[in-house]
Amino acid sequence: MRVAVYPGSFDPITNGHLDIIKRACQLFDKVIVAIAENPQKKALFTLEERLEMLHEVLKDLPKVRVDAYHGLTVEYARRQGACAIIRGLRAISDFENEFVMALTNKKLAPEIETLFLMTEAQYSFISSSAVKEVAYYGGCLKDMVPPPVEVRLRAKFREIKRLGEE
Ligand code: ADP
């Protein structure tokens, strides 16, 4: 059984993430999509909301399991019996950080490979932060996020704006 962990913030999951997950499913028996809990990173959605969105969007992919973890990704991957960590690469700008992270993880856990999947061109411009900015200003999110995520983004910013007006 070949298990891979796909770690990230998923704040929120986008069509770019979804494409990477579907492609990883063709390479592994089980893909664990895991939210890395990082208190230093300010997220728009709570951990529970992000987990709910992952469950909603990934429910039809039988090889996928959804989870969250604290601490080092390699230690989490070890506990899950994973042989690989999946990361997506969009532009050269992703490369530098990812390269350092992959080498650090290799040093900590030489038995776990980091596997980079190159983004599909049509998703290369999509990031969680860009999606949040478009949603904040009420722009069209078609083809950027799965429909349940769009609904959540609209609701979240409606709520934030309502609270701001009170
Ligand atoms: P992190 O905070 O760990 O960067 P993200 O949720 O932003 O978490 O991203 C998780 C992984 O998915 C990263 O490897 C990132 O490069 C990759 N990724 C994000 N957006 C895309 C995309 N549009 N196409 C391919 N990979 C992507």
Side-chain angles (χ1 to χ4, degrees):
M1 177 104 162
R2 301 191 80 72
V3 180
V5 169
Y6 180 36
S9 310
F10 303 108
D11 185 42
I13 181 170
T14 68
N15 284 348
H17 294 129
L18 189 55
D19 175 60
I20 297 286
I21 294 165
K22 287 181 179 162
R23 286 158 58 200
C25 284
Q26 294 176 345
L27 301 172
F28 293 91
D29 300 306
K30 182 166 143 190
V31 176
I32 305 172
V33 180
I35 300 177
E37 286 186 72
N38 183 350
Q40 272 118 295
K41 243 183 183 177
K42 182 86 190 82
L44 174 67
F45 290 100
T46 65
L47 177 64
E48 286 66 34
E49 288 169 331
R50 284 180 280 158
L51 283 169
E52 280 167 17
M53 281 187 277
L54 289 180
H55 280 295
E56 254 174 298
V57 170
L58 303 171
K59 63 179 186 304
D60 295 329
L61 298 175
K63 288 185 175 178
V64 171
R65 202 161 71 69
V66 167
D67 199 7
Y69 67 98
H70 284 291
L72 290 175
T73 301
V74 282
E75 275 170 13
Y76 172 76
R78 262 188 189 140
R79 290 200 296 278
Q80 302 304 315
C83 60
I85 291 169
I86 308 281
R87 297 290 288 173
L89 279 183
R90 282 161 296 189
I92 306 281
S93 51
D94 278 343
F95 181 80
E96 203 168 324
N97 279 339
E98 294 292 342
F99 184 63
V100 170
M101 199 154 39
L103 290 183
T104 308
N105 285 341
K106 191 78 187 168
K107 176 91 181 132
L108 296 172
E111 78 283 13
I112 298 176
E113 284 299 335
T114 299
L115 188 70
F116 293 103
L117 296 181
M118 200 69 83
T119 183
E120 289 287 341
Q122 83 223 63
Y123 303 122
S124 59
F125 68 96
I126 301 176
S127 66
S128 296
S129 43
V131 156
K132 284 182 275 196
E133 193 161 343
V134 172
Y136 178 80
Y137 290 109
C140 174
L141 290 165
K142 191 176 170 303
D143 299 332
M144 294 165 107
V145 292
V149 175
E150 174 162 5
V151 171
R152 295 259 189 169
L153 276 164
R154 302 260 180 247
K156 176 65 87 180
F157 284 118
R158 259 200 315 272
E159 180 65 10
I160 288 173
K161 284 179 184 165
R162 192 182 63 76
L163 290 173
E165 282 162 13
E166 270 177 10

